[in-house]
Amino acid sequence: MMKVAFIGLGNMGGPMAVNLAKAKQALALELSVFDIVADNMSDAVKQGATAASSALAAIKDADVVISMLPAGQHVHRLYLDEQTGILAKLKASCLVIDCSTIDAETAVLVAERAAQTGIEMVDAPVSGGTAGALAGTLTFICGGTDNGFKRAKPFLEVMGSNIFHAGQAGAGQVAKICNNMLLSILMVGTSEALSLGIDHGLDPKVLSQIMQVSSGGNWTLDKYNPCPDVMPNVPSSNQYQGGFMVDLMVKDLGLSMAAALASNSSTPMGALARSLYTSHARQGHGKLDFSSIFEQFKDKR
Ligand code: NAD
């Protein structure tokens, strides 16, 4: 039996751990989970995972550690903290897969420190949202060695349907922030276009159908319409609850801006999207889903 530890069972990690627990027999694994919010572990426990009392307890004898945390500082603390960091406690044959979206520098730093003791680490940020996490159809965008990628793949395949190897350590994170910068631009543009139509008396459902099969068609219209009640089972039809928080999008846009500075790249649309999302968060909407940017374009007079 292989021992797998999963740390960070939030909006994404929760359903991902459930899918891993469901594959317990197929992959011959025991699953131990830990989140600082105990309730977040209950769905995985219902599928046969064991809830641990700490990250350290979860990783005891682990062959594979998977983490899904909010940001770089959480990943840094979990693995490298001088007192509580788990990296120093892992056995040398352990494989670490970090699925959080974080800065490439932290991903590379953890991978390098891990390699010093023979531990292989793969950065494997995801795309596909909470619906993809629930359905097990996420896209994993990996950075790491060929061997690390090969070892990680069977575990990623039970949580996702597209598994890419973008390059060496950190490459998964770079590819991921390119994608999220584009996603934020598409979400703002779609919100703006739908609001213009509504202001001219159009039905947003009909306008969405038209744009979906026209040249403005994009993922947000197909899977994640930001206008309430156009699409069932998306955050916009549930007061923008769940999904992908504005605060996390602001974080990702900060990462893409930092990456642009590092390579002297021109990213004017990304800079504008970061500004719009930051202003939205500063108005108190940080915990809402990122499609709530639609509200910024509503005529509230
Ligand atoms: P979330 O805030 O819902 O989940 C994070 C979880 O980590 C929480 O349950 C929190 O309690 C837990 N946590 C924090 N520190 C911890 C620690 N030290 N030990 C154990 N648990 C700890 O966030 P999320 O939406 O699940 O996103 C997670 C990551 O995935 C982020 O990096 C985000 O950018 C990325 N992401 C999210 C989405 C999405 O649609 N939500 C999509 C793609 C990528």
Side-chain angles (χ1 to χ4, degrees):
M1 274 277 177
M2 186 163 273
K3 186 152 185 241
V4 179
F6 197 110
I7 298 172
L9 289 84
N11 287 329
M12 295 295 288
M16 286 165 69
V18 164
N19 285 328
L20 206 54
K22 285 181 182 164
K24 263 173 55 173
Q25 280 183 338
L27 291 179
L29 58 86
E30 271 174 34
L31 181 63
S32 165
V33 296
F34 175 67
D35 193 289
I36 48 174
V37 179
D39 278 357
N40 289 358
M41 298 186 275
S42 56
D43 286 345
V45 168
K46 277 184 207 141
Q47 293 298 332
T50 307
S53 55
S54 67
L56 219 49
I59 57 120
K60 190 167 181 295
D61 301 325
D63 300 295
V64 180
V65 174
I66 304 175
S67 48
M68 189 48 156
L69 299 173
Q73 70 266 29
H74 304 91
V75 173
H76 192 282
R77 206 176 308 135
L78 174 70
Y79 289 102
L80 300 180
D81 185 271
E82 293 205 351
Q83 264 90 52
T84 58
I86 61 171
L87 200 58
K89 313 277 186 228
L90 297 175
K91 54 187 182 191
S93 58
C94 188
L95 171 70
V96 171
I97 308 172
D98 179 47
C99 301
S100 329
T101 303
I102 63 169
D103 55 291
E105 289 73 23
T106 301
V108 171
L109 178 70
V110 180
E112 281 174 356
R113 293 274 186 87
Q116 284 167 8
T117 47
I119 295 168
E120 194 122 44
M121 163 152 179
V122 171
D123 48 292
V126 306
S127 178
T130 45
L134 275 165
T137 57
L138 290 170
T139 295
F140 285 90
I141 311 162
C142 304
T145 63
D146 288 345
N147 190 47
F149 178 69
K150 199 167 128 207
R151 287 175 69 196
K153 215 170 168 207
F155 301 97
L156 304 183
E157 275 169 349
V158 300
M159 301 182 281
S161 45
N162 295 301
I163 324 289
F164 289 103
H165 190 191
Q168 292 305 301
Q173 297 297 350
V174 175
K176 167 66 186 171
I177 54 160
C178 292
N179 178 74
N180 271 27
M181 185 179 80
L182 176 59
L183 172 63
S184 70
I185 295 165
L186 291 173
M187 187 56 90
V188 172
T190 300
S191 297
E192 186 176 312
L194 284 171
S195 302
L196 176 64
I198 292 166
D199 289 347
H200 283 266
L202 298 193
D203 178 341
K205 276 190 189 158
V206 176
L207 178 57
S208 294
Q209 284 164 2
I210 293 167
M211 295 196 294
Q212 268 181 284
V213 293
S214 303
S215 42
N218 68 76
W219 184 88
T220 71
L221 284 167
D222 289 344
K223 299 264 170 58
Y224 217 95
N225 199 296
C227 178
D229 303 322
V230 167
M231 207 174 245
N233 306 321
V234 289
S236 60
S237 298
N238 184 30
Q239 283 90 44
Y240 298 108
Q241 298 302 309
F244 180 48
M245 280 189 292
V246 169
D247 282 342
L248 289 177
M249 183 55 99
V250 170
K251 173 205 62 161
D252 288 0
L253 288 167
L255 295 177
S256 60
M257 291 303 99
L261 273 176
S263 52
N264 197 27
S265 306
S266 169
T267 53
M269 304 295 284
L272 181 55
R274 192 197 81 87
S275 222
L276 288 165
Y277 270 104
T278 301
S279 155
H280 192 47
R282 286 171 64 107
Q283 289 166 41
H285 306 307
K287 304 291 173 233
L288 297 182
D289 176 71
F290 82 113
S291 62
S292 62
I293 197 76
F294 177 80
E295 295 283 313
Q296 291 290 332
F297 298 95
K298 254 170 75 172
D299 187 353
K300 297 181 185 120
R301 288 168 297 178

